[in-house]
Amino acid sequence: MVSPDPFSYWIVLLDIEDFSLRPENAQATLHEELYDVVEFALGRAGLGFAGCPVQDRGDGMLILVPVDTSPTRLLRELQRGLDDALLAHRAKYNEDHRMRLRVGLNQGLVIRQGERWTGTAINDLARLVDAGPVKQVLAEARRALLVVVVSENVHTSVVLGGYPGIDPAAYLPADFVTKHGEPRRGWVTVPGYAAPPGLPADPGEPPGRATGGAQAPGGGAGRAGGGTGTGSPVPPPTLTARDVTDSQIAVGEGAKVVGRDDVGGNVYYINAPVDER
């Protein structure tokens, strides 16, 4: 059977925090309320369920947004709309029915076969939304109602474009490793926060990458489920008499020579070498 041709979409994935830990009646309420929250947010972006195919995921939903939609308006207004709708939801319900969301945005090709949607862009977005660092950011941002994570291509093409209402400084990279050992990076922001809490401001190169495409020394993909490892530190060099000339001073761990008296031929040591005979 020949696979159908794919189409390009903006892809939105939403997941309710701690959904499976709620009582069944709370899950039912949250599931129903999610549609009201998302419908309001899509309306802020000039969209609606009628023009955006939706796949129900129980504890969330997957939305395909037409590719001709303005990505800056989608990113900006979807965040604002979700934040406002979640605030209104909180005013109506107790803590058991509290709704906080992890929201992801990507762009790519999707093959649609009825209710079955497949595509690398969907898979990558699901990994971003479910990544350990993204969950940790929402856990630490206690006054926030949602956390937003975008793919690297969306960050490059949309966030860094300098468009009104989108602040690149509010996004920080979140590095993680998939269950298959694949390094990934998403870009995270939290409405109401200058920067997402719990993420380093300067994490360095993405996991598994270095200048020129080579693996960074001591790098590796990081720890599964969240963040990258720092790798092993480079040991300090051990200096010997050959490394110290013209009365220079050797300083640092492992240094064996302080200097040399060129007149008397004397050599002065710190941590004099031990005779191993």
Side-chain angles (χ1 to χ4, degrees):
M1 179 178 178
V2 178
S3 175
D5 289 325
F7 288 88
S8 184
Y9 294 95
W10 295 102
I11 308 166
V12 178
L13 179 61
L14 305 99
D15 192 272
I16 300 174
E17 181 189 44
D18 295 335
F19 183 84
S20 62
L21 302 179
R22 313 296 181 88
E24 288 187 5
N25 67 323
Q27 291 185 16
T29 300
L30 288 171
H31 182 268
E32 182 177 357
E33 282 284 311
L34 179 62
Y35 277 80
D36 293 337
V37 167
V38 173
E39 184 175 22
F40 177 85
L42 288 176
R44 283 281 294 266
L47 301 166
F49 283 133
C52 298
V54 174
Q55 187 179 82
D56 192 303
R57 295 201 163 194
D59 60 351
M61 66 173 63
L62 181 66
I63 307 171
L64 301 181
V65 179
V67 73
D68 60 354
T69 300
S70 166
T72 53
R73 184 178 184 184
L74 176 63
L75 179 60
R76 180 181 64 242
E77 300 303 331
L78 188 66
Q79 287 187 51
R80 293 174 177 175
L82 288 172
D83 204 32
D84 289 346
L86 289 170
L87 189 61
H89 168 86
R90 171 162 288 191
K92 294 190 299 181
Y93 292 95
N94 60 25
E95 192 68 14
D96 282 343
H97 295 78
R98 182 182 69 163
M99 186 188 302
R100 302 209 306 163
L101 298 175
R102 300 192 309 278
V103 183
L105 177 64
N106 196 9
Q107 190 275 329
L109 299 178
V110 177
I111 295 175
R112 294 177 59 188
Q113 295 175 291
E115 296 300 317
R116 299 188 303 275
W117 303 348
T118 57
T120 300
I122 291 178
N123 297 337
D124 288 343
L125 185 58
R127 294 185 182 108
L128 288 179
V129 172
D130 199 48
V134 177
K135 292 180 178 179
Q136 184 61 34
V137 167
L138 187 57
E140 294 193 21
R142 297 312 305 167
R143 58 183 171 83
L145 299 176
L146 72 155
V147 59
V148 178
V149 57
V150 302
S151 63
E152 286 203 83
N153 67 307
V154 171
H155 179 259
T156 300
S157 61
V158 182
V159 175
L160 296 182
Y163 299 104
I166 300 176
D167 180 13
Y171 288 76
L172 287 179
D175 296 330
F176 65 100
V177 177
T178 71
K179 64 182 180 181
H180 300 297
E182 302 166 319
R184 290 287 186 271
R185 168 170 281 188
W187 290 84
V188 180
T189 188
V190 181
Y193 284 73
L199 292 178
D202 183 15
E205 289 287 333
R209 297 184 185 179
T211 303
Q215 179 75 18
R223 296 181 296 275
T228 56
T230 58
S232 301
V234 178
T238 298
L239 302 178
T240 66
R242 293 188 302 274
D243 302 310
V244 182
T245 60
D246 298 329
S247 298
Q248 295 176 359
I249 297 177
V251 179
E253 184 179 350
K256 293 182 173 63
V257 177
V258 172
R260 185 180 67 196
D261 185 343
D262 288 326
V263 177
N266 297 318
V267 177
Y268 303 95
Y269 291 93
I270 56 172
N271 298 327
V274 177
D275 188 351
E276 296 178 350
R277 289 180 295 176

